[in-house]
Amino acid sequence: MKPQHLLLLAPVACAYTLHHQQRHPTFTTGTPINVPRRSVSSANLLRMDTEVPSLDTVTTYNLEKTLKNIRLHKGISLRQAEAQHGMPWKSSIDPKVKDEELLYMPFWEWQMQFMEENFTNLKVVPCHNGKTDFSYNANEKKKARIVNLCATSDEYRKIRMTYYDAGDNTQVFNAVLYPDPALNLPVLGVDILCFNRKKYLAIVDFQPIHDNEEDHAAPYEHLLKPIKEKYDSLKGRMSSKFYDETQHFSQQMLFARFDDEEIVSRELFPAFQSYVKTHLDLVRSTERRPEDVKFVLECQKDYDTYSADRDPATGLFAAMFGAEWADDFVHDFLFSMSERTEGGPPPSMPFMGGPPPGAAAGQPQPPLSAGAPQMHSHKP
Ligand code: BLA
């Protein structure tokens, strides 16, 4: 997000506040709820989207916090933000899909409830970069849609959740929770995917934000080891195709490629719940050090830049929603502190299929795209 986009959040915030009395039906129940309307004209956006000098990370963070306090005070609730796009969805965008199609919706639902019950001062943050509202997008023709939610709480500077539904082709639940920067702690990362209802990929980790050993995830790994030990299917190792496992990934990462859907409810779901709970326990039991804020924000920024540069989903989003939307989505929503590298790494390959037959947990394995026919090769 550019500094000038922060300035745009003020009118966006006012739009949320001013219009939140408007009543509209929800998609799911028909119960009227307050749905905000955005009233910033595109002419205004264009006028305001001019280059201004970059602000440093701490100033940006403080400005963001102040704006959040102004606009979130009377903002919409988490449930209202969720209901704006009919979430939690009960059926797929693809009518061909029959039963139990939204495989990972229980992850979304459980996390929402857990946050509501356990996070302090949980508030919705608009999914907006001043130009585009990222809360929802769909490609009706290709039968794919994405929904996003962003929030903040006393424990976490940024909480974001994504559900991607492309019928039996692809289901994804993705979430990242960044601790308050006065806490020098790993980020909680979740990336859970399913392709063709046959090939599954799951990663849940306390992702280190720096790489010197005493600040790395190592000090927290003893909390995760006993959990990981219980789940034999989740002890796999990632490939080096997209990421480097020594950077921003811990030794206690839950990682699995599998083809037995049973594993989702039997192992992945309880393991995910334990990691989320343990992360909150860690955040709660760690003393804040305000003098660390600048350093930790810089580390979270490095994490964002690393992740944005390597995100294998960029190609998929470009194929479904257009290259510009995909680029802005990755840099301004998913990894919103990331630096855009001029002439940086090429966009990642679209993902295409499942893992090689017979792939077993516990071994480094090639990406799902290896050897599989290309699924998303057309421009939108
Ligand atoms: C891999 N993640 C992938 C792949 C895709 C996504 C398409 C490649 C699958 C393949 O062909 O092998 C999907 N990434 C997404 C989506 C979003 C995204 C849909 O950011 C956003 C909505 N990725 C993360 C986070 C973690 C993560 C937070 O975004 C950490 C928990 C990990 N994803 C991760 C890893 C791989 C991966 C480690 C590579 C697995 C491997 O190479 O073996």
Side-chain angles (χ1 to χ4, degrees), residues 186-309:
V187 161
L188 176 64
V190 180
D191 197 16
I192 300 176
L193 307 95
C194 164
F195 306 96
N196 301 322
R197 225 42 207 264
K198 279 205 290 257
K199 307 294 177 193
Y200 303 80
L201 170 62
I203 305 112
V204 183
D205 197 15
F206 282 28
Q207 298 191 262
I209 51 172
H210 25 60
D211 38 44
N212 53 316
E213 207 41 47
E214 68 273 21
D215 284 334
H216 196 265
Y220 320 108
E221 284 176 359
H222 69 279
L223 301 171
L224 305 178
K225 214 166 171 235
I227 304 172
K228 183 167 171 175
E229 262 162 17
K230 289 198 279 184
Y231 302 104
D232 284 339
S233 307
L234 308 179
K235 296 175 181 165
R237 278 183 63 191
M238 62 194 274
S239 78
S240 54
K241 171 94 178 170
F242 305 108
Y243 299 97
D244 169 357
E245 67 176 350
T246 67
Q247 279 186 66
H248 300 300
F249 291 102
S250 86
Q251 296 288 316
Q252 296 306 325
M253 165 206 296
L254 302 176
F255 183 95
R257 290 181 185 277
F258 50 95
D259 47 23
D260 172 10
E261 195 168 296
E262 279 284 289
I263 290 175
V264 173
S265 53
R266 203 180 60 225
E267 303 206 19
L268 185 56
F269 192 51
F272 156 76
Q273 291 172 313
S274 296
Y275 269 47
V276 175
K277 287 180 190 164
T278 305
H279 200 270
L280 179 63
D281 287 346
L282 176 61
V283 165
R284 284 226 179 105
S285 60
T286 304
E287 210 171 302
R288 281 181 167 69
R289 287 169 47 97
E291 63 274 26
D292 282 355
V293 165
K294 188 173 188 307
F295 167 68
V296 172
L297 281 172
E298 286 301 330
C299 293
Q300 291 187 355
K301 186 176 170 179
D302 286 350
Y303 165 87
D304 270 9
T305 300
Y306 168 90
S307 305
D309 282 350

Side-chain angles (χ1 to χ4, degrees), residues 128-142:
H128 210 289
N129 68 350
K131 190 174 84 175
T132 306
D133 177 2
F134 295 110
S135 61
Y136 181 79
N137 206 349
N139 183 329
E140 298 290 341
K141 215 167 126 202
K142 292 183 181 170

